[in-house]
Structure formats: C-alpha cells, structure tokens
Amino acid sequence: MSNPFLIGENMTGGYGRGADILHDCTISVAKGEIAVIVGPNGAGKSTAMKAVFGMLNLHKGSVRLDGEDITKLAPQARVAKGMGFVPQTQNIFTSMTVEENLEMGAFIRTDDFSNTLSQVYDLFPILKEKRYQAAGELSGGQRQQVAVGRALMTKPKLLMLDEPTAGVSPIVMDELFDRIIEVARSGISILMVEQNARQALEIADKGYVLVQGRNRFTDSGKALLADPEVRKSFLGG
Amino acid sequence: MEFLNAFVAFSNFVIVPAIAYGSQLALGALGVTLIYGILRFSNFAHGDTMAFGAMVTILVTWWFQSMGINLGPMPTALLALPFGIAGAALLVLATDRMVYRFYRAQKAAPVILVIVSMGVMFVMNGLVRFIIGPDGQQFADGERFIISARNFKTMTGLSEGLAFRTSQAITIVTAVIVVALLFWFLNKTRTGKSMRAFSDNEDLALLSGINPERVVAYTWIIVAALATIAGVLYGLDKGFKPFTYFQLLLPIFASAIVGGLGNPLGAIAGGFVIAFSEVTVTYAYKKVLIYLLPESLEPSTLVQLLSTDYKFAVSFAILIIVLLFKPTGLFKGNTA
C-alpha cells in the first residue's frame, strides 16, 4: 500500500459553500484492485467518491493519480487522465441506442475505438444483442451494464462506480459483481460505493467503512467481514 | 364528375395550401424544438429570427436582381438563401455571445431565459423594421405556376381548376430535403449525436467530454438555417411582412408543443396537424358541397366553420386539447 494508484488523502470539504461533509477522509486504490466504500446512510460514501472525482470543493487534502497531483483538475480533465465515473442515477442516455451510448463514452478519443467497443460487447454480451435498441427501454441491470460499458469506452485506468447495484435484483447483482471482478482482472482499478455491504466486501481487496464523513475502519475486505465490531454495527450481526 | 370536381376544389383550396403551410410550420417548429431540447428554453425570438433571415435573403435577392442574376423559372431568392442563412447565423451567434451565454453561466432558470428571449425578440423585431421597414415586400420572381388553374381545366376537362404554384412546390421539396439532412446529421454524425446526448442528459454529456459551448454554437447555426429557410419559404408563398412573422410564433409553438417539445419528429407532425386544422376549419365549403349535394340541399351560406380572422384560435384550441389529454405531446417529448 506504499504506492497506491489513486489516493484521496485527508480530504476535507463539502458541496459549494455548504458545511463540510468529509472530515480528514482518506481513500486509496492500488493497481488492479477493488476498493469498496461502505457505511450507513448519510455517511458521505458517495461524497467521498465525488471528492476523488473533483465534484466537490476540497479545502484540505489532495488527490493523486499515479503519483500526479490532480486536486485542481475539473472532472472532465480527470476523465482524460484515465478516470471513468459511473454516476448512481441518470448514468445513460435513455433516448439513444446502446451503441450510441458507448460511442458517446468514447467521445474524447480521437483514435479508432472499435476494439474497445468489441471488448465491451465481449464483457456484456447482452449489450451486443441490443445494440440498436434505445437504452431507456432496457431493464435495470442492463442499463447498469450500458453505464459501466460507457465509462469503459475511454479505456480508463480507474473505474469509479456509485452504487452500481442500486435497484437491481439479487441475481443481477451477483452477475454485475462478477463483471466488475472481470474488469479488475484486466488491470483496471475499481473504486466502488455500495449499499450491499456484505456482498461488496466479499469481492473487495480493500474496504473503507465511513461514518459521518470520517474513516472508521479500513482493512482488507475479508478482515472487515471478520471483524466482530464491523459485523455488529454495519453488517447486521 | 361531380365528385371529381369537388375533390379538385378541395385539393386546390385545402390540401395543397395546407401541405405547403405545414412544411413551413414544421421547419419553424424544428428550430423551436432544437433550442428547447439543447438550450432548454422556449425561444420567443424565433419568429423574428425567421424574419431577419428572410430579410437578409430579400436584400441579397434584390441585389442579384439589380445585377441581372436570376435562376430562370426558379425564384432568385433560392440563390440568395445561403447569404440569408449566414446572416441569421451571425446574428444568433452574436446574440448568444452577448446575451444568452451570460445567463447560461449563471445557470439561470428556463423561465428567466424565456423572458430574456422576449427581450431579444423585441430587439430583433426593431432591427428588421429599422432595416427593411414594417411594410410588406414582394420578392418572388420566376415562373409563378407549375400548373395554373386554367391549364388544369383544359388538360382534364373538369370545371374546377387545381393550381400548383412554384412556391408551393419549392416549399415542399425544400422541406423534405432539409428534414432529411437534419435527421441524417442528428443520427449519423458525431457532432449530431453529441447534440442529442447533450439534450438527453447534460451532466453525463459533460462527463463524456462533450464541449457544451460547441454543441450550443452548432445548435444556433442549425436553428438559424432552419429559421431562415422557413422564413423565406413562407415569404415566397405568402409575401414578407415583419408583423406576420411575429404572429407566426403562435402556430409554430403550437406545432412544437403538440408534437412534443424537444422531439424533432413531433415538430414535423405537429406542423402538419396545426396547418391542416387551421386550413380545414377556416375554409368555406360551399363550393365543394354544391358539387356533392343534390340541388335541393345546396347550401345558401359559405359553410365556413370559422372566419379566417380567427385562424389563430385554432392553434390555441388544439394546443389546449393536447395539453389537457397528453401533456407531453403526441410524440414523447419533454414535459413542457
């Protein structure tokens, strides 16, 4: 953990001129690993992720990607640096076809992206089947696949997912987690916020338990699952 | 024979004019709907943008005519059209730079932008009257008819004539070409797709690296082109008068809303719905009925449902009916 690929260190800040939501919060991901942020409602999980992505005013702390300080960069510039972000809601272009969604994901690329397109289709075969269908007509799980696929089109080195399994059935959730593991195996680091803490920690190399904008527990996913205090307070026994 | 005569009279006074008028409304409504979809406000200055584009086209047309340049049987205005489009594009881009960009940076609410666009409307309105004057202008030249009523009668031997004017034919053909080009652009090109993406989900479009200022600039240029073409076609068909263009705002908005704001396909459908309703409701059916009914039932009045003075009431009525029963418009648009 001496040299993480991405680290948001001692982040303190909030939205606009509002009160601070994060207090001295540190989140990091190593190359090709899955890091998961869990915690109770209102703990600032999504906020921590948005802070890493530059959607928050940080007045303390820094964000570094691959050793480079990106604290001052706008979210769009971070996309160009190799960060992919999948928002929790409204993460697809509903009126456009699946393929057009993926094309828009690759908008900043000037090279030929047909290879990446077929990689995404290999990862999510159902998307290839429905490539000419409007993304808004797909089921919840399929929409999430479109959203993840769109973010993968820039060939990011780090993929950030804000509750990718919100509102999908347990079977679809398992399937999505499998896909996310597959993405991580291809060398892409994953930072993920999850409501389904237990399942998410099972696949996590690293877990962060946030409470009221502060780091409460930080350990490997397995260790957190085994920790009696974490189990009692956050995993329902 | 009686039936054919009735049909020809109906075509001459209702179907052909309504198709031409519908094409003009559709082109106007497409501009309104694009602005609504991408810049997210109802642009009240659209009618006057049409007037400005048409005015530039007319001025260039006169200049061409004075130099003896013409298109033979076709109106010279078609040759001047690109200049009108360029003029209108410069005007709206300058307006955007000076006015709308300020409010965009402030993330002003749509209702504020609507009021702002009304201000822009008054300025453009004054600008057009200042340059070309408030009076009507004729600028159509070339062959007036493709088929004149008299020729049609001698050709078919019917007692009713079906006139097909050059301006009507040009309107319909141009509208088809422009709509086809627009849809090709929006659906097949990278820039067009980025415009649709921006309209669909602004935040995600920004996340994907789509440059909003570029999308906005493209939108204004396309809207200027659509407005100018609609304005010139309307002027060729019915004559140019600044005030009529201001009045056109109502049927154009009605078309865009009836079809579903933000939906280009809806704007076209809406244009024809409004045009056909307006023309059919204000047409005096006496002539047609005389052919169809036995002599004893012949109408003594004009059999006109509504005087043409009230034609704008038709747009209003349809607008209200659609908003009551299908608030998102006939096609799925954004909620108004």
Side-chain angles (χ1 to χ4, degrees):
Chain A
M1 214 57 246
S2 57
N3 217 349
F5 181 63
L6 171 98
I7 181 162
E9 210 166 22
N10 309 114
M11 299 183 294
T12 302
Y15 295 101
R17 269 175 240 138
D20 285 350
I21 297 171
L22 295 179
H23 306 276
D24 219 12
C25 175
T26 297
I27 306 281
S28 73
V29 199
K31 188 102 199 133
E33 278 193 354
I34 299 177
V36 173
I37 306 173
V38 297
N41 284 334
K45 305 185 294 284
S46 293
T47 309
M49 176 123 86
K50 285 177 183 161
V52 169
F53 193 55
M55 295 163 89
L56 215 63
N57 291 335
L58 286 184
H59 47 78
K60 250 178 70 190
S62 63
V63 183
R64 289 194 306 278
L65 182 73
D66 212 1
E68 188 188 344
D69 191 324
I70 57 166
T71 318
K72 297 269 176 273
L73 288 187
Q76 283 92 327
R78 296 182 199 216
V79 172
K81 290 268 178 213
M83 294 170 81
F85 181 58
V86 182
Q88 184 181 350
T89 53
Q90 300 193 326
N91 48 21
I92 55 169
F93 299 111
T94 48
S95 66
M96 303 176 83
T97 67
V98 170
E99 186 145 305
E100 284 171 340
N101 266 274
L102 299 179
E103 279 175 43
M104 287 300 111
F107 193 80
I108 53 168
R109 288 180 60 178
T110 47
D111 56 333
D112 180 23
F113 55 78
S114 51
N115 252 333
T116 319
L117 192 65
S118 51
Q119 278 167 13
V120 169
Y121 282 148
D122 287 344
L123 188 63
F124 303 115
I126 187 77
L127 297 191
K128 186 166 191 174
E129 217 173 282
K130 311 216 165 190
R131 62 207 287 184
Y132 300 123
Q133 210 170 318
E137 295 168 3
L138 304 183
S139 72
Q142 291 164 355
R143 282 163 156 235
Q144 289 303 66
Q145 296 184 19
V146 174
V148 174
R150 188 204 62 83
L152 285 175
M153 287 302 290
T154 49
K155 281 211 269 185
K157 292 174 221 135
L158 169 81
L159 186 64
M160 303 199 292
L161 304 159
D162 195 351
E163 300 201 16
T165 63
V168 304
S169 71
I171 298 169
V172 175
M173 185 178 81
D174 286 345
E175 161 102 25
L176 269 172
F177 279 153
D178 283 347
R179 289 292 103 81
I180 289 164
I181 295 170
E182 225 173 293
V183 172
R185 291 231 175 92
S186 71
I188 298 174
S189 311
I190 307 255
L191 177 62
M192 179 163 74
V193 168
E194 256 303 329
Q195 283 284 353
N196 301 299
R198 185 186 297 272
Q199 289 88 336
L201 287 175
E202 268 165 20
I203 66 162
D205 296 297
K206 186 137 204 201
Y208 294 87
V209 181
L210 295 194
V211 177
Q212 293 188 344
R214 290 185 169 83
N215 290 89
R216 182 70 185 275
F217 300 99
T218 306
D219 212 328
S220 72
K222 289 219 166 51
L224 285 176
L225 280 173
D227 187 325
E229 205 179 337
V230 174
R231 290 175 70 102
K232 195 163 126 272
S233 318
F234 303 109
L235 303 174
Chain B
M1 214 54 161
E2 296 287 88
F3 176 76
L4 266 182
N5 272 320
F7 178 72
V8 167
F10 188 69
S11 304
N12 189 33
F13 294 107
V14 175
I15 297 180
V16 173
I19 290 176
Y21 182 42
S23 311
Q24 292 148 9
L25 285 185
L27 290 176
L30 273 173
V32 165
T33 230
L34 279 181
I35 292 287
Y36 185 86
I38 289 164
L39 285 109
R40 291 165 223 283
F41 70 94
S42 301
N43 181 17
F44 274 66
H46 197 73
D48 289 288
T49 310
M50 283 167 63
F52 185 87
M55 178 195 73
V56 176
T57 309
I58 291 171
L59 294 177
V60 176
T61 304
W62 287 342
W63 182 52
F64 280 162
Q65 285 168 342
S66 71
M67 293 195 304
I69 302 172
N70 63 61
L71 272 179
M74 307 275 268
T76 315
L78 286 186
L79 214 54
L81 191 57
F83 296 91
I85 292 174
L90 285 179
L91 178 76
V92 292
L93 285 176
T95 310
D96 185 72
R97 178 65 61 93
M98 291 192 295
V99 182
Y100 293 120
R101 195 156 77 163
F102 172 78
Y103 291 95
R104 214 167 33 245
Q106 299 198 320
K107 300 200 189 307
V111 66
I112 293 177
L113 281 164
V114 167
I115 306 296
V116 169
S117 82
M118 285 177 77
V120 170
M121 171 186 87
F122 286 122
V123 173
M124 286 188 182
N125 209 315
L127 194 65
V128 170
R129 282 158 207 237
F130 186 72
I131 297 175
I132 203 168
D135 303 323
Q137 310 285 351
Q138 285 302 329
F139 62 105
D141 54 3
E143 208 65 58
R144 205 165 130 65
F145 288 102
I146 290 179
I147 308 168
S148 73
R150 188 183 303 155
N151 282 346
F152 185 86
K153 284 182 201 166
T154 49
M155 257 158 46
T156 56
L158 291 170
S159 52
E160 274 303 317
L162 176 64
F164 194 40
R165 284 188 286 134
T166 317
S167 62
Q168 291 169 330
I170 289 174
T171 295
I172 296 163
V173 172
T174 312
V176 169
I177 294 173
V178 167
V179 167
L181 273 178
L182 179 70
F183 278 85
W184 171 80
F185 177 80
L186 288 177
N187 288 315
K188 297 288 175 213
T189 66
R190 184 166 172 268
T191 309
K193 284 179 194 172
S194 73
M195 283 170 61
R196 281 167 53 219
F198 189 83
S199 158
D200 183 310
N201 187 336
E202 189 176 339
D203 292 332
L204 195 61
L206 295 177
L207 264 188
S208 306
I210 292 168
N211 179 350
E213 289 303 314
R214 231 175 92 96
V215 167
V216 166
Y218 271 108
T219 307
W220 278 119
I221 292 171
I222 292 167
V223 166
L226 288 169
T228 306
I229 293 169
V232 169
L233 292 177
Y234 187 86
L236 281 174
D237 199 18
K238 298 192 176 80
F240 173 87
K241 194 173 186 212
F243 186 63
T244 8
Y245 283 74
F246 167 71
Q247 283 186 319
L248 268 181
L249 208 54
L250 177 61
I252 284 176
F253 264 97
S255 307
I257 295 169
V258 163
L261 264 176
N263 183 328
L265 215 57
I268 297 167
F272 285 102
V273 167
I274 297 289
F276 269 89
S277 329
E278 223 175 73
V279 179
T280 46
V281 172
T282 56
Y283 175 60
Y285 286 91
K286 185 177 183 187
K287 203 171 204 175
V288 174
L289 290 178
I290 286 177
Y291 283 116
L292 290 179
L293 297 174
E295 219 158 308
S296 54
L297 285 175
E298 240 168 55
S300 53
T301 59
L302 282 172
V303 204
Q304 188 178 18
L305 290 172
L306 210 61
S307 150
T308 43
D309 295 336
Y310 291 115
K311 65 177 178 188
F312 290 115
V314 179
S315 315
F316 257 128
I318 294 174
L319 191 56
I320 289 167
I321 293 168
V322 170
L323 286 179
L324 274 178
F325 293 103
K326 215 162 179 298
T328 53
L330 296 174
F331 289 71
K332 209 167 40 185
N334 308 336
T335 36

